[in-house]
Amino acid sequence: MIQAILVFNNHGKPRLVRFYQRFPEEIQQQIVRETFHLVLKRDDNICNFLEGGSLIGGSDYKLIYRHYATLYFVFCVDSSESELGILDLIQVFVETLDKCFENVCELDLIFHMDKVHYILQEVVMGGMVLETNMNEIVAQIEAQNRLEKSESGRQP
Amino acid sequence: MFGSCCHCHRPGAAGFIRGFGPRMPAPIRLRELIRTIRTARTQAEEREMIQKECAAIRSSFREEDNTYRCRNVAKLLYMHMLGYPAHFGQLECLKLIASQKFTDKRIGYLGAMLLLDERQDVHLLMTNCIKNDLNHSTQYVQGLALCTLGCMGSSEMCRDLAGEVEKLLKTSNSYLRKKAALCAVHVIRKVPELMEMFLPATKNLLNEKNHGVLHTSVVLLTEMCERSPDMLAHFRKLVPQLVRILKNLIMSGYSPEHDVSGISDPFLQVRILRLLRILGRNDDDSSEAMNDILAQVATNTETSKNVGNAILYETVLTIMDIKSESGLRVLAINILGRFLLNNDKNIRYVALTSLLKTVQTDHNAVQRHRSTIVDCLKDLDVSIKRRAMELSFALVNGNNIRGMMKELLYFLDSCEPEFKADCASGIFLAAEKYAPSKRWHIDTIMRVLTTAGSYVRDDAVPNLIQLITNSVEMHAYTVQRLYKAILGDYSQQPLVQVAAWCIGEYGDLLVSGQCEEEEPIQVTEDEVLDILESVLISNMSTSVTRGYALTAIMKLSTRFTCTVNRIKKVVSIYGSSIDVELQQRAVEYNALFKKYDHMRSALLERMPVMEKVTTNGPTEIVQTNGETDPTPLETKPPPSGPQPTSQANDLLDLLGGNDITPVIPTAPTSKPASAGGELLDLLGDINLTGAPAAAPAPASVPQISQPPFLLDGLSSQPLFNDIATGIPSITAYSKNGLKIEFTFERSNTNPSVTVITIQASNSTELDMTDFVFQAAVPKTFQLQLLSPSSSIVPAFNTGTITQVIKVLNPQKQQLRMRIKLTYNHKGSAMQDLAEVNNFPPQSWQ
């Protein structure tokens, strides 16, 4: 099961924060900060797996992360997930974002936080992997966006 | 109230009043808010902007304006992500969910998932909305409802809505079906009793063509199998179908919609492999059915990309976990060996992790890759180094000890400080088990002490001392080497402690210059005392070390001839030391000189060879059942004879203890395997490294010597003088008329020991005979079971069996215990396993 998905930039500013286990707000922020510090220490030639920090749950949990340009994508998972599989999943998620936003960059995530959540929702649901086929996901997102558009001209 | 006055004055402020005068400007869009916040140069500036916007949002909410609600909630979620409080938006999310528009529902549900949880009553209000939305005409609305329920549904909500989820699990709409499957997983996790309800719907799940549905269906099946052994047995019949699906995925050739780097839907392949693993575990037939496909995947998968390796890795794990034939297992380990040589460090990492899991069961196969593993010790990556170290220790045996030790010592020299303590402990353990000669052993210890002396664990010092004592012929060599080691540098405390102790014991050998192993050094008594005194004075020496040094000096008074006066002087100086430990010792030694000089040489005599009592420390469970007290059960002689059955050997190996014979006569002889198996279950999660512990022959049982009164088992008298009072007793077990109560005692001076007295009573109309109580605890605890008062629990509660359990809990972890009860009742043999989880906090905190 995936406990949390965090995306933050090279300075630790959160771009996407999604927890699948309930934590109080202050703890959530602490976890983001702690994860950032753990991940920042890693060189680029080290493996992408980290034992989790103390806040997010203990020895059963691992942090699996990938670094894309200015952003870190971190998935906190327990032992029921395959580490290599999660690495692939992160790649799928990022490529999907790329397809939906057309050459996605950090600014897209900043200004369209809600859309990123919607895309994530089609990939991971309740901490479990829902769909991994990029084309499927993009098609479903586009259909829902069209539905929104048809309802009113006004965008949030 | 504000009414009339504002009306004619400043136009903008009139917005507080509904419908009166000009309204507030429309709330800004999310994009604008973000832009504004990004211009903030300091945290304080950002906070100010946020607060201003929050105030605007709050007033906007108060206006109950439907048009802008969704925009406002979006902004709130953004601010929430940055860490600002957003709870005042919770009700607004609910209003959005109840709206007819998809746009509103979308952001409303997202807000609910991010801001609400089941601890707030507010979330229950969603139940009705979700119920309606699950039946909505638009599939995307249904999807939102399923998603929200599957993320944060409470048990009550799940109970209410499980029926709807089950319906959707049978729909032909694949978009909804896959979501329903994951939602069902969540429902089952929240309300396990509902699992049965989803069983009919699972019948056709694997017939789906849509991969998304297949994927989530496999997740659902996996969850059900993991939760219930009955389900597991039921789903075993799916193995052929799963194998077929997997085969199609591998053989299907290029399929553009599922292709990831040339492999067809690797995620689904991995999921199926995992489910196969669970189904094939401990089951010969299923394992055989999957042998071929596993071999096929293992040999045909393309490994140039990560996706291929993920599949291969999962295949290896599955092969190792099921009852596969040995050829397949060797193939799997070889794949792991190849992984170790891969350039990708992620692959190396997972390979090392899996090898660690398999090294116990397939030791020889893993040994073949030893040199690669040892090379990983030199890797730059800390995570890889750690795993390589653990694996290396697991691979050390009598044949490779010399070579391995060389590598490990080299590693100890150069590794990061965080590893040194574990590495040192590991080396000591390995050396103890496999040392080819005493001299080698001492040399190895010396090497560790000198290179990583300050990282050696405290408990290593007494073990080392004991080891040295027992190597009688090496005393001269040892003390000489230790002396030379601390001459240059006496800052490493464990080294100095061991050295001081040895010099105190064997100082006479040191100055007499008799050493066979190497060139004896010329040392005078004064020089020896010099070094010990330097240790005493040094700022780097801890109080414990000083204690060692002082005692050593004192001992030398009987071994040295010319310097007794000097020793007397030193000892008397420390009689006024501010360190109480030192002072006490010095005063007592002084007294020895002055008043009890005739006893001095006897008291300070050479230490005799010590008996080794425990070998593995915290990971061992010591379980005794009153060996010296003959119970009516022992129809066999005390276990000094050869072990009767291999089953007994298994039990001994597992429990590391001595006396399990009472169990064997009562276990039904027609099913020996299951009795051992149940004990395995009893000790399921306990890690036992008890190979040396099993070695002490049962005849040497009295090593756990207890004063006679404890053997009565009648521990109604408190075992401590200063008991912590008021710990409530618990009923640990109550079934079929047998009730077992636990009462607790703890000592204030030794809070890590808890003494539990069990009382077993029988409310049925017939006695329970041959009653045996066994217990096991997790590995951070130690357990000692004393002998019971009897083996008969009389009927009608006319009497009880009492038995004492002592639990050592140094880490103050929550107490848990598994108990196994066997007895004869109404002519049949009864057996039960139970877990005791209701220990009161006062018994372990």
Side-chain angles (χ1 to χ4, degrees):
Chain A
M1 179 170 152
I2 301 172
Q3 258 226 333
I5 296 179
L6 308 172
V7 180
F8 41 76
N9 69 3
N10 294 340
H11 303 290
K13 276 225 154 267
R15 296 301 175 214
L16 181 77
V17 172
R18 186 67 205 257
F19 283 90
Y20 294 101
Q21 276 279 30
R22 194 61 205 175
F23 292 101
E25 259 78 23
E26 320 81 61
I27 305 285
Q28 286 187 14
Q29 288 298 312
Q30 263 181 292
I31 290 175
V32 174
R33 276 194 298 274
E34 187 188 53
T35 309
F36 169 63
H37 283 122
L38 280 171
V39 156
L40 194 64
K41 277 195 268 182
R42 312 279 287 178
D43 272 335
D44 277 332
N45 59 350
I46 307 189
C47 69
N48 300 79
F49 312 123
L50 257 178
E51 261 71 58
S54 52
L55 283 176
I56 200 160
S59 57
D60 194 30
Y61 294 93
K62 279 203 186 73
L63 294 173
I64 301 179
Y65 69 96
R66 284 195 107 132
H67 192 186
Y68 296 91
T70 59
L71 291 171
Y72 284 98
F73 283 74
V74 185
F75 279 45
C76 178
V77 304
D78 69 12
S79 54
S80 71
E81 299 290 337
S82 155
E83 295 102 330
L84 296 178
I86 292 288
L87 273 183
D88 290 331
L89 185 67
I90 299 180
Q91 182 71 15
V92 166
F93 179 45
V94 171
E95 281 187 35
T96 310
L97 286 175
D98 199 42
K99 280 213 168 82
C100 292
F101 285 106
E102 269 154 63
N103 284 327
V104 68
C105 63
E106 191 180 338
L107 280 175
D108 292 316
L109 273 82
I110 295 172
F111 282 99
H112 300 286
M113 185 201 95
D114 50 343
K115 296 215 176 5
V116 179
H117 268 289
Y118 297 147
I119 295 173
L120 182 60
Q121 247 163 236
E122 297 298 331
V123 183
V124 175
M125 187 179 122
M128 295 171 278
V129 178
L130 172 64
E131 176 66 68
T132 55
N133 183 321
M134 270 185 281
N135 296 326
E136 268 290 317
I137 301 167
V138 172
Q140 286 155 13
I141 289 289
E142 283 177 356
Q144 293 180 68
N145 288 344
R146 278 195 300 270
L147 189 49
E148 264 198 37
K149 265 211 174 73
S150 69
E151 274 181 342
S152 76
R154 223 181 304 218
Q155 292 291 321
Chain B
M1 291 138 275
F2 294 100
S4 39
C5 41
C6 292
H7 180 52
C8 24
H9 294 157
R10 303 170 311 244
F16 285 109
I17 305 136
R18 288 207 197 148
F20 261 65
R23 302 173 64 102
M24 275 181 56
I28 62 173
R29 300 158 95 98
L30 173 63
R31 201 171 311 152
E32 275 169 56
L33 173 67
I34 298 177
R35 216 171 273 142
T36 315
I37 291 180
R38 278 165 65 78
T39 62
R41 273 159 300 163
T42 63
Q43 187 74 4
E45 221 181 305
E46 180 183 284
R47 213 174 307 137
E48 211 182 291
M49 294 175 180
I50 300 260
Q51 274 171 356
K52 193 159 147 237
E53 184 59 33
C54 277
I57 294 180
R58 262 189 245 252
S59 357
S60 184
F61 282 159
R62 251 175 281 153
E63 283 185 21
E64 297 282 351
D65 185 330
N66 292 336
T67 1
Y68 295 117
R69 186 175 288 127
C70 109
R71 180 186 291 193
N72 285 326
V73 169
K75 285 185 285 185
L76 213 51
L77 291 180
Y78 178 75
M79 296 190 284
H80 177 253
M81 178 179 75
L82 293 180
Y84 297 94
H87 43 272
F88 59 92
Q90 286 169 359
L91 265 174
E92 302 300 314
C93 293
L94 278 128
K95 293 183 196 161
L96 282 172
I97 291 174
S99 153
Q100 292 307 313
K101 288 165 56 174
F102 176 69
T103 314
D104 286 347
K105 283 185 191 283
R106 213 182 186 190
I107 192 86
Y109 274 120
L110 180 63
M113 283 189 274
L114 294 179
L115 299 179
L116 288 174
D117 69 70
E118 55 184 71
R119 280 172 296 181
Q120 284 133 346
D121 297 326
V122 173
H123 89 283
L124 280 171
L125 298 172
M126 281 199 301
T127 315
N128 223 27
C129 280
I130 294 187
K131 187 171 201 159
N132 292 335
D133 284 342
L134 283 174
N135 291 311
H136 204 273
S137 50
T138 312
Q139 66 170 357
Y140 294 112
V141 174
Q142 290 174 291
L144 285 175
L146 279 170
C147 183
T148 310
L149 182 60
C151 283
M152 57 170 298
S154 64
S155 334
E156 300 89 52
M157 279 169 81
C158 287
R159 249 184 257 269
D160 284 342
L161 302 171
E164 308 293 331
V165 177
E166 200 257 346
K167 238 185 358 204
L168 287 171
L169 196 51
K170 299 195 272 216
T171 175
S172 55
N173 178 330
S174 51
Y175 176 72
L176 292 177
R177 209 171 184 199
K178 72 185 182 193
K179 293 200 175 198
L182 288 189
C183 195
V185 174
H186 179 83
V187 168
I188 292 175
R189 283 185 183 160
K190 281 288 180 192
V191 192
E193 305 90 69
L194 290 177
M195 184 162 34
E196 298 280 325
M197 176 176 174
F198 293 104
L199 193 51
T202 61
K203 241 190 270 251
N204 295 324
L205 279 177
L206 291 184
N207 296 334
E208 262 280 353
K209 291 282 173 268
N210 179 297
H211 280 212
V213 178
L214 266 180
H215 183 107
T216 55
S217 304
V218 173
V219 172
L220 176 58
L221 292 170
T222 309
E223 181 75 19
M224 290 167 97
C225 289
E226 279 177 334
R227 278 187 179 264
S228 153
D230 292 331
M231 289 286 179
L232 179 60
H234 171 83
F235 284 126
R236 280 221 172 92
K237 60 178 196 256
L238 292 177
V239 170
Q241 200 174 4
L242 288 166
V243 168
R244 228 176 307 131
I245 298 176
L246 196 52
K247 201 177 213 143
N248 285 336
L249 284 172
I250 305 172
M251 312 293 262
S252 61
Y254 185 66
S255 150
E257 40 185 72
H258 297 126
D259 181 87
V260 180
S261 305
I263 297 190
S264 188
D265 208 339
F267 296 97
L268 183 55
Q269 289 192 38
V270 166
R271 278 281 162 212
I272 293 180
L273 284 164
R274 203 168 264 249
L275 181 54
L276 285 175
R277 178 149 92 239
I278 294 172
L279 294 173
R281 211 179 264 157
N282 290 329
D283 187 272
D284 290 316
D285 294 326
S286 305
S287 301
E288 212 188 297
M290 17 178 131
N291 248 319
D292 285 343
I293 191 68
L294 289 174
Q296 212 172 359
V297 176
T299 42
N300 287 344
T301 307
E302 176 70 44
T303 60
S304 54
K305 292 283 173 62
N306 189 55
V307 285
N309 288 319
I311 296 174
L312 218 45
Y313 177 53
E314 205 67 35
T315 312
V316 166
L317 290 180
T318 303
I319 293 175
M320 300 314 291
D321 221 7
I322 64 173
K323 299 203 158 221
S324 44
E325 46 183 52
S326 60
L328 203 52
R329 292 178 93 83
V330 172
L331 175 63
I333 297 203
N334 287 343
I335 292 177
L336 287 180
R338 269 207 314 275
F339 274 2
L340 278 182
L341 299 167
N342 196 308
N343 284 331
D344 189 336
K345 352 105 209 152
N346 294 326
I347 309 271
R348 287 209 296 278
Y349 175 91
V350 300
L352 286 171
T353 310
S354 334
L355 283 172
L356 201 52
K357 285 191 210 141
T358 62
V359 72
Q360 304 296 340
T361 45
D362 295 83
H363 192 92
N364 292 329
V366 181
Q367 279 283 358
R368 261 178 247 143
H369 301 280
R370 197 178 67 240
S371 51
T372 325
I373 293 170
V374 165
D375 278 337
C376 288
L377 285 173
K378 308 190 179 93
D379 202 296
L380 293 166
D381 184 336
V382 165
S383 317
I384 290 186
K385 267 203 267 213
R386 176 168 283 282
R387 280 186 164 49
M389 178 180 84
E390 288 168 4
L391 200 45
S392 301
F393 280 124
L395 288 177
V396 171
N397 64 22
N399 295 327
N400 57 34
I401 178 76
R402 283 188 194 265
M404 287 296 274
M405 199 48 84
K406 231 192 320 225
E407 296 286 344
L408 287 166
L409 285 171
Y410 180 73
F411 176 68
L412 183 64
D413 278 341
S414 53
C415 69
E416 285 82 353
E418 63 219 53
F419 290 133
K420 290 205 198 238
D422 288 329
C423 191
S425 301
I427 289 180
F428 285 145
L429 220 64
E432 207 175 298
K433 277 196 221 171
Y434 302 113
S437 73
K438 287 238 158 88
R439 160 132 188 209
W440 180 95
H441 197 169
I442 304 268
D443 280 341
T444 307
I445 292 176
M446 289 292 309
R447 177 84 185 271
V448 174
L449 284 177
T450 47
T451 52
S454 30
Y455 297 98
V456 167
R457 293 219 169 84
D458 293 336
D459 59 358
V461 172
N463 285 341
L464 292 175
I465 289 178
Q466 183 177 54
L467 187 67
I468 294 172
T469 319
N470 294 349
S471 327
V472 177
E473 63 279 12
M474 304 295 299
H475 285 169
Y477 172 70
T478 311
V479 68
Q480 181 163 293
R481 287 212 57 190
L482 282 168
Y483 174 76
K484 282 199 279 194
I486 62 169
L487 258 188
D489 165 28
Y490 41 87
S491 60
Q492 303 191 82
Q493 301 305 295
L495 171 63
V496 175
Q497 287 169 13
V498 175
W501 190 92
C502 284
I503 295 175
E505 277 295 299
Y506 312 121
D508 48 333
L509 299 176
L510 187 58
V511 298
S512 65
Q514 8 157 313
C515 179
E516 291 165 359
E517 302 283 341
E518 64 173 24
E519 186 70 30
I521 56 175
Q522 310 294 341
V523 166
T524 66
E525 296 184 3
D526 275 304
E527 283 170 335
V528 175
L529 288 173
D530 282 341
I531 189 75
L532 286 174
E533 279 191 61
S534 314
V535 169
L536 265 178
I537 302 172
S538 163
N539 287 330
M540 294 184 281
S541 300
T542 63
S543 178
V544 171
T545 311
R546 289 209 179 96
Y548 272 90
L550 188 59
T551 306
I553 292 179
M554 186 58 193
K555 284 193 212 164
L556 289 173
S557 70
T558 54
R559 293 156 177 60
F560 283 177
T561 46
C562 346
T563 45
V564 183
N565 283 329
R566 179 175 172 181
I567 293 177
K568 271 194 201 164
K569 225 185 337 188
V570 172
V571 167
S572 66
I573 293 174
Y574 281 89
S576 44
S577 159
I578 32 172
D579 182 331
V580 178
E581 267 288 325
L582 280 184
Q583 192 189 100
Q584 178 168 6
R585 282 167 203 248
V587 164
E588 288 177 5
Y589 297 155
N590 253 332
L592 209 51
F593 272 124
K594 296 204 164 59
K595 288 197 268 182
Y596 300 99
D597 207 44
H598 52 283
M599 287 171 61
R600 185 163 49 91
S601 53
L603 275 175
L604 300 175
E605 217 175 48
R606 188 88 95 225
M607 291 287 241
V609 172
M610 295 182 211
E611 276 274 333
K612 207 85 194 319
V613 176
T614 57
T615 47
N616 286 341
T619 55
E620 187 191 42
I621 295 174
V622 175
Q623 185 178 9
T624 66
N625 229 334
E627 336 36 52
T628 53
D629 187 17
T631 68
L633 276 175
E634 287 197 345
T635 55
K636 294 181 190 283
S640 51
Q643 292 310 314
T645 59
S646 57
Q647 174 193 355
N649 279 332
D650 293 345
L651 296 178
L652 273 177
D653 287 343
L654 286 174
L655 296 170
N658 306 352
D659 183 351
I660 335 282
T661 47
V663 176
I664 297 172
T666 59
T669 48
S670 52
K671 298 191 293 170
S674 63
E678 280 150 19
L679 262 172
L680 276 169
D681 292 344
L682 184 72
L683 301 168
D685 63 345
I686 294 166
N687 179 24
L688 292 155
T689 57
S700 68
V701 135
Q703 52 181 276
I704 320 267
S705 59
Q706 301 155 15
F709 71 86
L710 278 178
L711 288 179
D712 293 344
L714 295 172
S715 47
S716 51
Q717 27 180 336
L719 296 168
F720 298 114
N721 290 327
D722 53 332
I723 47 175
T725 54
I727 307 177
S729 352
I730 57 168
T731 302
Y733 179 91
S734 179
K735 211 164 131 186
N736 297 330
L738 175 63
K739 184 161 92 155
I740 300 189
E741 284 199 31
F742 283 12
T743 49
F744 303 93
E745 279 165 39
R746 288 178 78 181
S747 160
N748 281 325
T749 52
N750 190 3
S752 24
V753 178
T754 306
V755 177
I756 306 176
T757 307
I758 71 158
Q759 299 217 340
S761 57
N762 169 8
S763 61
T764 67
E765 68 273 12
L766 278 183
D767 291 357
M768 295 172 178
T769 57
D770 300 322
F771 181 82
V772 175
F773 174 91
Q774 281 171 290
V777 287
K779 64 182 172 208
T780 51
F781 299 82
Q782 274 189 62
L783 181 78
Q784 190 183 8
L785 204 55
L786 307 182
S787 59
S789 56
S790 86
S791 66
I792 301 182
V793 196
F796 297 114
N797 290 328
T798 47
T800 59
I801 291 183
T802 43
Q803 194 167 8
V804 172
I805 310 172
K806 285 192 199 164
V807 178
L808 182 67
N809 179 9
Q811 295 181 23
K812 296 251 169 81
Q813 298 211 342
Q814 179 169 12
L815 196 46
R816 277 164 38 217
M817 193 184 279
R818 280 207 197 129
I819 60 176
K820 180 174 174 179
L821 310 161
T822 48
Y823 54 94
N824 284 335
H825 191 228
K826 296 183 185 168
S828 46
M830 308 279 290
Q831 211 166 214
D832 200 4
L833 284 166
E835 197 152 348
V836 185
N837 280 326
N838 53 337
F839 286 93
Q842 303 93 314
S843 65
W844 49 271
Q845 264 175 351

